[in-house]
Amino acid sequence: MNRNTIKAFTLLASLGGVFVLVGWAIGSQVGALVGLLAGLAIVGASYWFSDRLAVRLARAKPVSAAEVPGLGGLVSELTSRSGMSMPRLYLSPAAQPNAFATGRDEAHAALVVTRGLLAILPEDQLRAVLAHELSHVRNHDILIGSVAAALATAITYAANIAVFTSVFGGSEDGEDGMGIFGFLLLALLAPVAATLLQLALSRAREFEADRSGASLLGDGEPLARALETIDVAARKTPMDVSPAQASAYIVNPLTGRQVSFARLFMTHPSTSDRVARLRALHLSSRPVS
């Protein structure tokens, strides 16, 4: 079992333990049992359905290799070169060029690309982006990334619901203090969700996926140019994405936007650092037709 898989199961087990402790604090043995059942349900859903959550939040639709031959042909070529299974392909309607991989393992991997990515990148840069994302799959990054993002999303949604309930569900005179409590809860839980992501994910995984993707192609320059193009476009073209899910994309889709708590969820190294490392790589030349 690789290190990322161990981290994913540790994260899930820890979350289940938190539910049991909270349940015990609220209602002793009965509360602990309820907390255990709730924890098992959420942990199980996070493991089995985190990829579906990520795809749904991206509003992506499944496509076949034949439907998008430019995409399907490149993914088929790269998976053949690296001895990998073909992932499920999804197309997001977003105009911002971006992409991410998700799933619990290589056999259940999904690759999501935006329409903007297909529209703006030339073939060599698109191939490099796909090589980066497939490297995440091959490096076993996608399980920990998918689980961490799902859990952080769930915690953030819970915090938002608490705020909504406190604002609209309190007494008319507002003397119960629930509004203040709700906002305090949001202020507490959002950093907790972000911390889960930062503990589970590492900026080193992005550098490694960059290096692995460049090595697969024998050249780091196409990916360096692609990252620069995507970074500039992300600052100009907004994307409606949860900060907790932003960590999955090749470039942070919230770059340049003012979003509540977005900076807490930043798990990407700077694009300039990534580009500099790619251009410093000394790879054997392996031309790709």
Side-chain angles (χ1 to χ4, degrees), residues 60-257:
K61 302 297 182 183
V63 292
S64 67
E67 289 178 285
V68 192
L71 172 64
L74 290 177
V75 175
S76 178
E77 169 200 315
L78 292 169
T79 52
S80 295
R81 285 168 62 91
S82 56
M84 296 174 60
S85 303
M86 186 78 172
R88 304 189 311 276
L89 301 179
Y90 290 85
L91 186 61
S92 163
Q96 182 187 112
N98 227 315
F100 68 87
T102 184
R104 62 182 183 273
D105 54 38
E106 184 179 328
H108 301 88
L111 180 60
V112 179
V113 301
T114 66
R115 289 191 178 275
L117 190 78
L118 299 182
I120 198 173
L121 290 189
E123 184 177 288
D124 64 329
Q125 293 182 33
L126 177 59
R127 179 187 283 108
V129 168
L130 298 174
H132 169 98
E133 293 304 329
L134 291 172
S135 291
H136 275 310
V137 177
R138 188 172 54 179
N139 296 343
H140 306 287
D141 293 332
I142 57 173
L143 173 61
I144 182 65
S146 299
V147 166
L151 295 180
T153 299
I155 293 172
T156 304
Y157 279 173
N160 288 330
I161 291 171
V163 170
F164 180 85
T165 303
S166 66
V167 171
F168 294 101
S171 63
E172 292 184 1
D173 58 13
E175 292 180 355
D176 58 5
M178 286 301 293
I180 295 176
F181 173 76
F183 284 107
L184 288 175
L185 188 62
L186 176 62
L188 173 65
L189 290 183
V192 168
T195 300
L196 282 176
L197 269 179
Q198 290 167 348
L199 289 176
L201 305 178
S202 168
R203 295 186 178 199
R205 77 178 194 137
E206 289 300 328
F207 287 131
E208 178 56 26
D210 287 344
R211 189 201 63 77
S212 299
S215 295
L216 179 61
L217 303 180
D219 186 4
E221 184 60 26
L223 182 55
R225 293 199 304 269
L227 291 175
E228 290 176 328
T229 300
I230 296 171
D231 187 77
V232 170
R235 297 177 189 278
K236 297 178 180 179
T237 307
M239 182 186 288
D240 183 17
V241 58
S242 163
Q245 293 290 329
S247 61
Y249 289 79
I250 187 170
V251 170
N252 188 340
L254 300 176
T255 298
R257 292 189 61 191

